[in-house]
Amino acid sequence: MQKELSLVYICFFAALTAALGLMPKFDIAFLGGVPITAQTLGIMLAGAMLGPWRGSLSIALLLLLVAVGLPLLAGGRGGIAVFYGPSGGFLVGWIFGAMVTGFIMQLTKGWNLMLGTAFAAIIGGIGVVYLFGIPYLALKANLTMWQAFTGSLVYIPGDLVKVVASVAIVQTVARGMPSAILTRAQA
């Protein structure tokens, strides 16, 4: 039963992150067209709720489906070519962002859920994703690291809104169905 439930959670969060891609994207032209999307909310939620392994597997599943051509990224993008564009590093960073978010949620079990979720989402869902995305963006968009870094600051306000949303969603789920927050479940 546990394996089947894990598979359901992994597939659900892959689908949720894909569904967040249906929201309109906003391309940032001076950063090679890397879009502002709602999909990083899915990264934060997958890690915060599923933990490092299930969370990162859900994002890896989504990206595998994208790689084979399904248009699951914001703006209906899909195919292997998206990984070679300026946003490719951010996409790879999604897997590790969900993983780190999950690890931090587990490490902060003794913290207040709101603070633990916010901290995990900021470090994993923003910091780790940018750690992968900015250097690759600099390379692909022919920018210096400083230009890629300062240009990426335009994403921070939206990412902070997603942190707040992830905190609200995790807290709401924890009130209604605490067992669904696998990072805080009792072993």
Side-chain angles (χ1 to χ4, degrees), residues 44 48 97 100-102 104-105 108 115-126:
M44 295 172 189
V100 169
T101 300
I104 292 173
M105 284 295 288
T108 61
L115 293 176
T117 304
F119 183 68
I122 289 168
I123 300 300
I126 298 175

Side-chain angles (χ1 to χ4, degrees), residues 143-178:
L143 301 169
T144 66
M145 282 292 288
W146 181 249
Q147 289 170 322
F149 172 76
T150 56
S152 295
L153 294 177
V154 72
Y155 301 108
I156 296 294
D159 284 337
L160 292 175
V161 169
K162 289 176 242 177
V163 167
V164 170
S166 69
V167 167
I169 292 166
V170 168
Q171 288 218 170
T172 301
V173 171
R175 276 194 295 269
M177 192 174 161

Side-chain angles (χ1 to χ4, degrees), residues 104-105 107-120 184:
I104 292 173
M105 284 295 288
L107 291 172
T108 61
K109 269 187 183 181
W111 294 21
N112 169 284
L113 183 61
M114 181 177 77
L115 293 176
T117 304
F119 183 68
R184 297 295 174 102

